[in-house]
Amino acid sequence: MWPEYTEQSDNFGGKNKMIRVTDDVIIKTIARVLTPFIQVYALYVIMHGHHSPGGGFQGGVILAASLILLLITHGWAETKKKFSETKTAVFCAVGVLIYTGIGVLCIFMGGNFLDYGKLGGLLMVIPPEARSLGILGVEIGVGITVMAVMFSIFFDTSTGGNSPEDETTSSLR
Amino acid sequence: MILQLDFIFILFVIICAIAALAVKDILSAVIILGAYSYFMCLLWTEMGAVDVAFTEASVSAGIGTVLMIAAVSKTTRRSKD
């Protein structure tokens, strides 16, 4: 059921105190069961951000928390399949691109920066509904960036800036 | 908006802040700061600022505690002073 734990399956070789594969089956099972529920709740918070408490920032932080839970229970080798360092950098940029893209699109439609009402002609809805959809798009962009940045901050803090691949090849230098 | 409840929560917030400063073990101080954030979140909720309370609960009590524990795991756990 579980992937066999070997020294090679965890790139840190069990030396890192935060990022490692735990031996406890209870912690592993709880983390595995809880992670999808945390992510669904985070998506709910992002999607309902414009008419209830919450929004892109809080939802992104909760999404990052689910990824961090996966990282501290299942190790870096298992998490890398789902959210690698390359993906982190790409998601950081994509979120800002969504935010700025919506803002600049409003300028092209003849309004000010982030003037969502002007998007009504493009989305074929009335301006009040276009404002609602526009701020939803901005919230999604904010959520993606916050998730990637929070995950990146945690990863860099707990590894001290050294990439796991550097630590395994450091004996060659 | 119950005034007595406000004072109970602010009392717990002050107790947690003083305890986090006074304790010698840094990991304990981080956990007490998590409790501080949680009582602060309850205080915001009780005063009607639900959005601020949500941010406090997710960012300060959630990610902030994890980040500080990660920092403690890379440095020393025992405080010098």
Side-chain angles (χ1 to χ4, degrees), chain B:
Chain B
M1 321 287 167
I2 311 163
L3 193 63
Q4 287 83 2
L5 211 53
D6 278 353
F7 279 116
I8 291 170
F9 285 146
I10 198 84
L11 184 69
F12 275 118
V13 165
I14 292 169
I15 288 172
C16 284
I18 292 172
L21 283 175
V23 78
K24 293 288 177 211
D25 194 354
I26 296 179
L27 190 61
S28 309
V30 170
I31 301 298
I32 294 168
L33 269 184
Y36 169 90
S37 302
Y38 183 69
F39 282 117
M40 208 65 206
C41 166
L42 286 179
L43 188 60
W44 290 125
T45 314
E46 212 277 323
M47 292 168 80
V50 186
D51 210 356
V52 183
F54 199 175
T55 311
E56 181 87 37
S58 62
V59 177
S60 191
I63 290 289
T65 308
V66 172
L67 290 182
M68 281 190 276
I69 290 174
V72 168
S73 82
K74 291 301 284 185
T75 55
T76 176
R77 189 175 159 179
R78 184 64 51 179
S79 158
K80 290 286 187 295
D81 50 23

